[in-house]
Amino acid sequence: MRTPAGKECKYYYADYHRGRDTQACRLLERNPQGGAWKPSLCGKCPVPDILRQNACPHLALEAKVEKGFLGLTEKVGVYAVCAKKMVEVDKPAIGCGSCHEALNKLGA
Ligand code: SF4
């Protein structure tokens, strides 16, 4: 679904059917410490680009609203792990690299 910022994000949810006016971020929602979502957070959120650049099915994301300088700004911070290798992924857009190594060994 397209976010208020205009990017595709599988975690964005909106329902305007029959007078409803519901918007949500399912990624922030599933983290109990995720914080409160608001539409403006989608504007600089790294998740849509991560999802577009890395389609690995083992990539697991967790998001949290983080305060900026003096608590005046907010942004979405992302923490990523490889659910297959159970390792932290520093660069979620690239991945942990273990699947690439396996493909290279197969000569793919
Ligand atoms: S805050 Fe990020 S993850 Fe959540 S709906 Fe917006 S773009 Fe998607």
Side-chain angles (χ1 to χ4, degrees):
M1 190 173 265
R2 196 172 292 269
T3 69
K7 289 187 175 179
E8 283 296 323
C9 180
K10 68 180 182 181
Y11 298 110
Y12 177 67
Y13 174 80
D15 182 4
Y16 300 108
H17 189 66
R18 293 193 177 191
R20 290 189 194 101
D21 186 4
T22 305
Q23 294 180 85
C25 170
R26 297 297 194 216
L27 187 60
L28 286 169
E29 254 182 17
R30 70 184 186 197
N31 178 2
Q33 280 88 45
W37 177 84
K38 55 188 175 189
S40 61
L41 286 170
C42 293
K44 290 187 178 174
C45 178
V47 171
D49 289 338
I50 291 169
L51 297 175
R52 186 172 44 79
Q53 294 168 346
N54 187 352
C56 179
H58 306 296
L59 184 70
L61 300 177
E62 185 178 285
K64 183 179 180 182
V65 177
E66 296 175 344
K67 301 273 185 202
F69 184 66
L70 296 176
L72 298 174
T73 59
E74 290 183 330
K75 66 174 186 153
V76 177
V78 177
Y79 174 75
V81 295
C82 168
K84 184 178 175 191
K85 289 285 181 177
M86 296 310 290
V87 294
E88 197 172 320
V89 180
D90 291 336
K91 295 179 180 168
I94 296 170
C96 73
S98 74
C99 292
H100 301 139
E101 288 171 14
L103 287 172
N104 285 342
K105 285 179 187 165
L106 292 172

